[in-house]
Amino acid sequence: MNTITLLGNSTMKLSARLFVSRRSGSFLAFSPLKHHTNHHHHHHNIKEFPTFDKNKQIQTHPFKILNFQRVSNNTQKSYRVFSPSFGQTSISPTISRGLFVAASSVASKFRNLSTSVEPRVNDANFERIYVQNGLNVKPLVVERIDKDENIAGGQESVTKENNLEGVIGVKVETSPRREETDVEKEAWRLLQEAVVMYCGSPVGTVAANDPGDKQPLNYDQVFIRDFVPSALAFLLKGEGEIVRNFLLHTLQLQRNFSINMGTHAYSFVRLELDINIHCFNIATNAFASHQKGKEESWEKTVDCYSPGQGLMPASFKVRSVALDENKFEEVLDPDFGESAIGRVAPVDSGLWWIILLRAYGKITGDYALQERVDVQTGIKLIINLCLADGFDMFPSLLVTDGSCMIDRRMGIHGHPLEIQALFYSALRCSREMLAVNDGSKNLVRAINNRLSALSFHIREYYWVDMKKINEIYRYKTEEYSLDATNKFNIYPEQIPTWLMDWIPEEGGYLIGNLQPAHMDFRFFTLGNLWSIVSSLGTPKQNEAILNLIEAKWDDLVGHMPLKICYPALEYEEWRIITGSDPKNTPWSYHNSGSWPTLLWQFTLACIKMGRLELAQKAVALAEKRLAVDRWPEYYDTRTGKFIGKQSRLFQTWTIAGFLASKMIVENPEMASLLFWEEDYELLEICVCALSKTGRKKCSRGAAKSQILV
């Protein structure tokens, strides 16, 4: 066991620089930092942060829960952190103060410092980068420690900028490294080959990298939802740079979109950014001249109409733009839905972005990123867009068809479960990450109110099991009263015949959609799994969902995990609901195809509920076929036996989903960083205030009783 001792006091701060005196494993899940040892003086020179090497062989590094002690106010406290054993003489270049701040109340003292980045005017690598639509974005800079900043005497030192309480007694344990299988080695190689570089830095992964695909359409772009499993795989492997870059560049695209709409949402941020970070500048005349004469508008509109500010793009692509005859610049060209099939705005993109931002902080300890003013504003814009007042009577988000993973017409318009589960997760993430002050306290209050209302709404009205179905079967209709049992006027005849025989006695699930006089009884896998992960469902409901999946394994898993939904729309129902979509034929693609990328979410849900054996069974099943079948996007037929008829091969989120699942299964303790436990405080919040008007009290207590029993 190797030991690193951080000698600190109240005048020291953990920053982007950290010195090491011992040969040890890498620290806190970051990629190794190159260093050189001076054998004459017995000290190290730490060089600047290494660039992302797409050809580097990535190895499996088992994680361990480590203990460290912290001195705070003269009191010694113990905490637990996660660290991989890289087995190399290296240390992370981005050990953030946020890791240690998060465990104590001193975090708020440093929020105002998180946007400070030292400019490198004369650095050759600090070149101009343009973002399409008129933003000149300079790349992120990690502080360089010069050669003369050596460490003497074999003791560790920390940069002396800003204060942070000392940390002592950090112990890093190494553990034996498991040999990667051939499938894993191939998967890592393919994932590295899918990395998209932007001005020398990694910013994401393409959706698919099929060398035989002559018409990639938009599969050569970086999708926000598709990148999430890639991000988790990199984070769990210790590669934090690509995820940080992705989060910041997509945030810049969001800002660009808002500016093009003529909003002033970023006015107060932009001033600080231009002065302190120098990240955002107006594009140069050269770039502007490139746009001159183009007929189309650079604003992201459909027939001269734009959605609300705060929208995150569905995807982006790196393009080379000629500024003059001999000069080219790389630009990021985002798609906010104006080029998508059906021209649908990606509602889930912003929700996934917030979820990934939290995961990045949890795994890396770099909480400083989420504390930056621009990032805080980005969170607020997304949440404000979701919380905007409308005509809806429900706390669930009202969206159109095709606004999430199912991005084609499949009858999910309204209040689809997938969006509600991601919305709930994003709200919980935002509540964790937002700095509470005079400018945000009203938003935090609105988040709490919405969380309470949404959790009750989903638990009470979306849940079905044998008992609930029998209750719906006996519903009275046309009830006009405050005390109506059938609040949404659901007609019993809507219960499909397949459901009567299919629902197991010991299981249940959350239905796909709920609207007046309409319940979509299809089982949507992502929505149910993420309801478990986020604790949108009650503990009993979460357990019952996994019981149902186990009982109906042949239907929902079959030869390849997992069905995107069940059952398929067939015959006249398929013709009417999908519009006779030739890609969404029965048991194919979104119409009950099998999607291996859902494996990582299934793994998270299983580990949270103590069902590791189910996750292991599914991962083993996928591992047998994915590499042989060349990593397809999806599988067809009732049991997922055949590769999808229009499936792209070497689909990146298939590859990344498998790798993330494999690592989480082997290190289940890491899963706790990615899911949420039940929040009992939400059950105490009720904004209906019916008791004050003399009406009957709301039934919010029913949800509480379900949990406490």
Side-chain angles (χ1 to χ4, degrees):
M1 180 174 68
N2 299 328
T3 302
I4 299 175
T5 303
L6 301 182
L7 303 178
N9 53 44
S10 60
T11 64
M12 290 186 177
K13 170 184 177 279
L14 285 173
S15 133
R17 302 188 288 183
L18 189 64
F19 301 95
V20 200
S21 66
R22 297 286 307 276
R23 292 190 300 272
S24 66
S26 292
F27 189 57
L28 297 176
F30 272 97
S31 55
L33 183 68
K34 297 177 183 178
H35 75 283
H36 304 279
T37 305
N38 187 325
H39 295 287
H40 298 288
H41 297 87
H42 300 287
H43 54 236
H44 299 281
N45 274 339
I46 306 296
K47 299 298 182 182
E48 66 179 306
F49 190 71
T51 57
F52 189 91
D53 185 0
K54 293 176 64 173
N55 298 317
K56 180 177 63 179
Q57 179 65 41
I58 301 180
Q59 299 294 328
T60 300
H61 308 295
F63 282 82
K64 287 229 174 190
I65 300 179
L66 308 179
N67 294 318
F68 71 88
Q69 293 180 322
R70 176 187 183 127
V71 175
S72 177
N73 298 328
N74 297 323
T75 302
Q76 185 167 288
K77 300 180 180 180
S78 294
Y79 299 92
R80 305 177 79 193
V81 297
F82 294 94
S83 177
S85 302
F86 284 88
Q88 303 176 20
T89 310
S90 58
I91 198 159
S92 163
T94 50
I95 301 299
S96 166
R97 58 179 174 75
L99 171 69
F100 308 99
V101 171
S104 71
S105 61
V106 300
S108 60
K109 300 178 183 178
F110 303 94
R111 290 190 182 274
N112 295 329
L113 303 175
S114 60
T115 58
S116 177
V117 175
E118 179 183 352
R120 292 284 178 177
V121 178
N122 298 321
D123 194 332
N125 294 325
F126 196 73
E127 55 193 357
R128 291 183 301 180
I129 299 176
Y130 295 96
V131 177
Q132 188 162 334
N133 272 346
L135 282 183
N136 178 8
V137 184
K138 297 182 180 180
L140 303 174
V141 177
V142 178
E143 287 187 297
R144 177 183 295 113
I145 297 179
D146 298 325
K147 293 182 179 180
D148 57 349
E149 298 184 41
N150 295 331
I151 309 166
Q155 289 187 347
E156 292 77 2
S157 177
V158 183
T159 55
K160 296 182 179 180
E161 48 180 9
N162 302 324
N163 295 334
L164 184 65
E165 295 170 320
V167 181
I168 64 171
V170 179
K171 296 182 179 180
V172 178
E173 299 179 4
T174 60
S175 58
R177 181 185 304 171
R178 179 187 63 82
E179 182 68 23
E180 286 182 337
T181 65
D182 291 339
V183 174
E184 289 174 278
K185 291 177 181 178
E186 178 184 348
W188 279 117
R189 176 181 60 80
L190 293 171
L191 185 59
Q192 289 176 332
E193 292 174 356
V195 169
V196 174
M197 305 299 290
Y198 175 49
C199 295
S201 299
V203 293
T205 51
V206 293
N209 199 19
D210 187 350
D213 190 359
K214 304 302 181 183
Q215 293 182 325
L217 298 178
N218 58 354
Y219 281 81
D220 60 349
Q221 299 188 22
V222 180
F223 281 80
I224 287 188
R225 78 172 68 94
D226 291 40
F227 181 67
V228 173
S230 295
L232 292 180
F234 284 124
L235 287 173
L236 293 172
K237 188 63 67 175
E239 298 286 351
E241 179 195 10
I242 185 173
V243 182
R244 181 185 175 90
N245 292 345
F246 171 85
L247 289 167
L248 289 176
H249 282 302
T250 48
L251 178 68
Q252 293 160 9
L253 295 175
Q254 178 209 46
R255 174 183 182 270
N256 187 23
F257 178 77
S258 296
I259 290 176
N260 281 341
M261 292 173 58
T263 67
H264 301 282
Y266 273 92
S267 58
F268 74 94
V269 177
R270 181 176 168 187
L271 176 62
E272 182 167 350
L273 291 176
D274 287 344
I275 294 175
N276 293 335
I277 303 184
H278 306 282
C279 283
F280 299 135
N281 295 309
I282 300 300
T284 62
N285 293 332
F287 183 71
S289 65
H290 168 73
Q291 310 301 338
K292 188 175 181 180
K294 283 202 168 188
E295 296 181 359
E296 73 271 17
S297 169
W298 285 98
E299 293 189 11
K300 300 300 182 177
T301 64
V302 176
D303 297 333
C304 301
Y305 182 79
S306 298
Q309 64 182 18
L311 183 68
M312 278 287 180
S315 62
F316 64 86
K317 185 173 182 176
V318 178
R319 300 184 187 276
S320 293
V321 175
L323 298 181
D324 53 41
E325 292 183 357
N326 300 316
K327 187 175 182 180
F328 291 84
E329 289 284 356
E330 288 186 336
V331 300
L332 294 180
D333 183 13
D335 177 13
F336 287 87
E338 77 282 356
S339 300
I341 298 174
R343 303 300 188 264
V344 179
V347 177
D348 65 336
S349 287
L351 306 178
W352 277 122
W353 185 88
I354 291 177
I355 292 168
L356 180 57
L357 176 64
R358 174 188 181 266
Y360 171 83
K362 287 282 187 178
I363 296 175
T364 67
D366 182 13
Y367 292 102
L369 179 65
Q370 60 191 234
E371 294 172 356
R372 285 174 45 154
V373 177
D374 54 335
V375 175
Q376 289 276 308
T377 304
I379 297 172
K380 292 176 185 177
L381 284 177
I382 295 171
I383 297 302
N384 278 323
L385 182 60
C386 294
L387 296 179
D389 293 333
F391 292 101
D392 206 358
M393 292 290 293
F394 311 141
S396 47
L397 273 183
L398 178 63
V399 300
T400 187
D401 227 337
S403 57
C404 53
M405 178 181 177
I406 298 179
D407 57 3
R408 300 169 74 93
R409 182 176 165 189
M410 271 292 293
I412 65 169
H413 57 281
H415 307 84
L417 177 64
E418 176 179 334
I419 289 293
Q420 313 317 320
L422 295 176
F423 180 36
Y424 184 80
S425 299
L427 289 174
R428 292 196 65 173
C429 292
S430 300
R431 190 174 63 163
E432 289 181 30
M433 296 186 294
L434 282 175
V436 181
N437 50 44
D438 291 340
S440 64
K441 61 182 180 181
N442 289 335
L443 179 60
V444 172
R445 184 182 301 112
I447 289 173
N448 283 327
N449 292 340
R450 193 61 165 264
L451 280 169
S452 177
L454 181 60
S455 63
F456 175 77
H457 183 78
I458 299 298
R459 294 174 177 189
E460 186 71 12
Y461 304 121
Y462 276 63
W463 179 253
V464 292
D465 54 14
M466 282 282 291
K467 180 181 178 182
K468 185 67 174 182
I469 293 173
N470 202 169
E471 180 183 326
I472 298 172
Y473 185 72
R474 293 170 53 82
Y475 265 171
K476 295 179 180 179
T477 59
E478 317 301 335
E479 293 182 287
Y480 182 81
S481 71
L482 295 173
D483 302 329
T485 300
N486 186 4
K487 293 183 179 180
F488 302 99
N489 200 35
I490 303 299
Y491 298 105
E493 289 76 15
Q494 287 188 25
I495 302 176
T497 54
W498 65 264
L499 182 60
M500 297 287 206
D501 298 325
W502 190 75
I503 189 78
E505 293 195 16
E506 298 301 324
Y509 67 100
L510 297 166
I511 62 172
N513 212 326
L514 176 65
Q515 299 185 73
H518 173 66
M519 294 181 79
D520 186 345
F521 287 97
R522 285 177 291 175
F523 177 89
F524 286 85
T525 303
L526 193 154
N528 275 276
L529 293 179
W530 210 251
S531 294
I532 297 175
V533 171
S534 65
S535 287
L536 177 56
T538 70
K540 284 187 176 181
Q541 289 171 349
N542 295 338
E543 183 178 352
I545 292 171
L546 289 185
N547 288 340
L548 179 138
I549 293 176
E550 183 178 30
K552 297 299 175 180
W553 188 267
D554 291 342
D555 292 331
L556 300 177
V557 179
H559 290 90
M560 177 58 63
L562 286 124
K563 286 292 181 188
I564 191 171
C565 65
Y566 182 89
L569 299 172
E570 298 183 286
Y571 309 115
E572 193 69 7
E573 193 176 30
W574 164 79
R575 187 185 68 81
I576 294 172
I577 294 179
T578 72
S580 301
D581 187 348
K583 194 168 185 178
N584 274 333
T585 53
W587 310 105
S588 179
Y589 202 49
H590 296 143
N591 192 7
S592 201
S594 298
W595 291 70
T597 187
L598 294 172
L599 186 62
W600 73 270
Q601 300 174 67
F602 179 65
T603 301
L604 265 185
C606 289
I607 292 176
K608 177 184 176 180
M609 301 308 297
R611 302 293 302 275
L612 179 60
E613 76 285 352
L614 274 183
Q616 291 172 328
K617 181 179 178 182
V619 170
L621 185 63
E623 190 167 11
K624 291 180 180 178
R625 293 195 58 187
L626 287 178
V628 175
D629 294 339
R630 294 177 294 172
W631 309 95
E633 178 184 12
Y634 65 94
Y635 287 77
D636 283 355
T637 72
R638 283 180 176 268
T639 60
K641 193 172 185 179
F642 294 102
I643 299 173
K645 59 184 177 182
Q646 295 188 41
S647 174
R648 292 303 197 280
L649 302 179
F650 303 102
Q651 186 80 11
T652 303
W653 69 352
T654 296
I655 298 166
F658 165 75
L659 289 172
S661 300
K662 193 80 174 178
M663 286 187 284
I664 295 172
V665 163
E666 294 179 358
N667 303 279
E669 64 273 13
M670 293 301 297
S672 63
L673 301 178
L674 302 173
F675 60 67
W676 294 259
E677 296 294 349
E678 180 65 54
D679 188 342
Y680 294 97
E681 291 182 3
L682 291 178
L683 302 176
E684 305 298 333
I685 301 173
C686 180
V687 296
C688 64
L690 293 180
S691 59
K692 296 180 180 179
T693 63
R695 299 179 182 178
K696 179 181 177 182
K697 290 185 178 181
C698 73
S699 55
R700 195 67 56 84
K704 183 177 181 180
S705 63
Q706 289 181 32
I707 296 173
L708 298 180
V709 171

